[in-house]
Amino acid sequence: MLKKLASCLFITLLVFSCNTNPPTSPDDSTPQYGKAFISSNVSDAEIWLDNTNTGQFTPDTLETTAGSHTLTLKKTDYLDASQNVTIVPDSIIDLNLTMIEISQAGRVYVNSNADGAQIFLDQVNTGKITPDTIFATPGQHEIELKRAFYQSSTQQVELFVDSLVTLDVFLQEILPTNVVLIEDFANVSCDPCVTSNKIIESLTNVTYGRSKLVAVKYPTNFPSPNDPFYLANTADCNSRISYYSVFFAPTTVVDGIERPVSTDSLNVMAAVDSRLTKPLQFQMDVSTTIVGAQYNITVTIKVLNGAGIDFSNTVLHTVVTETDIEFATPPGSNGETKFYDVMRVMLPSNAGQSLSAINQAEESVFQFQTAINSNWVVSNLNVVAFIQNTASKEVYQTCSTFTD
């Protein structure tokens, strides 16, 4: 009897296991281009796009990818003139930027209790960090400071011609706390996944909040090989399915080591609660910027207590997710039309970024980029970053761009 039961279970697992030859994902990320005619009150000013010199001078027409960009004009004896612009596909926009002579500018010395904070002037990154002096046109301006592990702060300042204003900004430090990661494996034609998806959405957004619990959904090719989210990125899906030896959907993994019953909210909560009390060994911060069709990600890591951690087996996984994806009709057979926290891409790859050379005495900064797929809704994108031991699979700490 036991042998028959074991045989049935084995056959069931085979039916629901991964397809070894998954379909290739469609290429739908071809960039679109638009133009901008750029002029100024000053001729022959260098035209910079997203902090890169284009080699062109005013007045001229610039062609670049559609989307958001930062345009800057530079010329000796003049203040840089910057503007955030949106390039429209297959069209041309007119931009006229006024440049001010430095002798007619005001100065502000920006200081903070947290050295190394980025200085933003009127929502544009100046490229400078505290403490430093910046120049700007006379009048009212907005100064914002941003730094990992601190709450950003915005101050208003009035500048006058050929004068110096001192601005001292206090940044409130963010105290480190444990953040737990749920990695969930689901499929658009998996009936029990309807229940597990609702449980995870409720736990992350209501019960705990994203400051304590975040999720990443990895689509599977079982029971249906035609899950559109799986087909969009088979390589990263297959990597995580194989890593955790997932044979059926739904499968829920908490911090890499706990496997509660996906359809039992109390069981999932018990696993999350136990991980919220884990030793606090890392503090993490993640921020993003969008430049044209490129998604830029910065992850900062501070080691609080590296005791017992084998850093040669430790990696940083950085995952771009998309939430609130809605279909007019269900893409699968389980009736779901709205999906949350779907993995879109893992950076720098599904192998993660090795932390073997991390400096435990100082903050370590990692930067990643990815092209924004034309099918993604940019406003629904978020980043989840987590530190994991590749051997034990334990996730030590997680952070995200979500805000409660």
Side-chain angles (χ1 to χ4, degrees):
M1 184 64 181
L2 289 175
K3 289 183 178 180
K4 289 182 178 180
L5 182 61
S7 177
C8 290
L9 179 60
F10 178 73
I11 292 172
T12 301
L13 292 176
L14 283 179
V15 170
F16 289 97
S17 63
C18 281
N19 183 353
T20 56
N21 295 296
T24 57
S25 58
D27 182 8
D28 48 15
S29 57
T30 303
Q32 295 177 299
Y33 290 85
K35 295 180 180 180
F37 175 72
I38 305 158
S39 59
S40 174
N41 60 314
V42 176
S43 61
D44 298 325
E46 295 178 350
I47 301 174
W48 289 59
L49 183 71
D50 304 323
N51 296 319
T52 300
N53 192 345
T54 65
Q56 296 176 245
F57 299 85
T58 57
D60 204 347
T61 299
L62 180 70
E63 183 177 28
T64 187
T65 53
S68 299
H69 294 275
T70 299
L71 180 71
T72 304
L73 300 185
K74 295 175 179 285
K75 189 170 183 177
T76 303
D77 298 328
Y78 286 84
L79 294 179
D80 291 354
S82 294
Q83 184 173 328
N84 294 324
V85 300
T86 300
I87 301 298
V88 181
D90 301 321
S91 65
I92 185 168
I93 60 174
D94 287 325
L95 296 171
N96 184 276
L97 279 70
T98 300
M99 301 191 73
I100 304 295
E101 290 188 62
I102 291 179
S103 61
Q104 297 300 310
R107 294 173 293 156
V108 55
Y109 173 73
V110 186
N111 192 27
S112 174
N113 59 306
D115 287 348
Q118 293 177 303
I119 304 174
F120 288 75
L121 175 68
D122 299 326
Q123 301 182 355
V124 175
N125 193 342
T126 65
K128 295 187 175 184
I129 60 174
T130 57
D132 207 338
T133 301
I134 61 174
F135 291 83
T137 56
Q140 290 284 340
H141 292 278
E142 178 184 275
I143 303 290
E144 183 179 16
L145 299 188
K146 295 182 180 181
R147 194 191 189 287
F149 311 129
Y150 289 84
Q151 295 178 2
S152 62
S153 179
T154 301
Q155 306 283 336
Q156 298 294 323
V157 62
E158 185 173 6
L159 301 185
F160 303 91
V161 175
D162 197 25
S163 64
L164 175 66
V165 175
T166 299
L167 186 64
D168 287 304
V169 181
F170 179 80
L171 296 181
Q172 182 67 49
E173 188 174 4
I174 299 173
L175 297 179
T177 59
N178 275 322
V179 181
V180 175
L181 173 68
I182 284 182
E183 293 176 274
D184 189 69
F185 297 82
N187 184 275
V188 296
S189 293
C190 156
D191 291 336
C193 292
V194 177
T195 299
S196 63
N197 287 339
K198 289 180 179 178
I199 288 173
I200 293 173
E201 184 64 14
S202 177
L203 293 181
T204 54
N205 284 326
V206 180
T207 307
Y208 294 98
R210 302 279 187 168
S211 62
K212 290 184 179 179
L213 179 67
V214 292
V216 175
K217 303 284 189 67
Y218 301 102
T220 66
N221 61 339
F222 45 85
S224 168
N226 297 316
D227 185 306
F229 301 120
Y230 172 82
L231 296 179
N233 188 347
T234 59
D236 289 349
C237 291
N238 285 340
S239 173
R240 296 308 276 180
I241 290 170
S242 175
Y243 180 69
Y244 284 120
S245 299
V246 174
F247 295 107
F248 55 88
T251 292
T252 302
V253 183
V254 177
D255 267 356
I257 56 176
E258 302 283 350
R259 294 206 184 194
V261 178
S262 301
T263 54
D264 184 340
S265 62
L266 294 179
N267 201 229
V268 177
M269 288 174 63
V272 172
D273 289 340
S274 69
R275 292 300 296 168
L276 282 172
T277 62
K278 65 191 175 188
L280 192 57
Q281 297 182 283
F282 294 92
Q283 186 175 13
M284 301 179 66
D285 177 87
V286 58
S287 61
T288 62
T289 59
I290 296 174
V291 177
Q294 182 169 281
Y295 202 46
N296 299 318
I297 301 165
T298 301
V299 181
T300 307
I301 297 174
K302 182 191 297 184
V303 179
L304 303 176
N305 179 8
I309 295 178
D310 181 357
F311 282 88
S312 66
N313 288 332
T314 304
V315 299
L316 167 66
H317 285 297
T318 304
V319 187
V320 177
T321 68
E322 185 177 356
T323 194
D324 295 324
I325 305 171
E326 195 159 8
F327 292 79
T329 57
S333 64
N334 68 5
E336 284 186 298
T337 58
K338 195 167 185 177
F339 301 86
Y340 305 89
D341 304 317
V342 177
M343 183 276 297
R344 285 308 198 179
V345 66
M346 302 185 71
L347 301 171
S349 70
N350 51 49
Q353 169 70 53
S354 173
L355 297 182
S356 60
I358 195 171
N359 187 334
Q360 297 187 47
E362 299 178 1
E363 296 176 6
S364 298
V365 179
F366 301 89
Q367 295 182 321
F368 309 104
Q369 300 83 33
T370 187
I372 298 176
N373 189 293
S374 59
N375 284 338
W376 301 349
V377 177
V378 173
S379 60
N380 291 341
L381 296 180
N382 276 282
V383 175
V384 176
F386 57 97
I387 298 171
Q388 184 168 40
N389 184 298
T390 57
S392 69
K393 296 183 171 60
E394 180 179 5
V395 173
Y396 297 120
Q397 182 62 293
T398 302
C399 67
S400 77
T401 55
F402 284 101
T403 56
D404 287 335

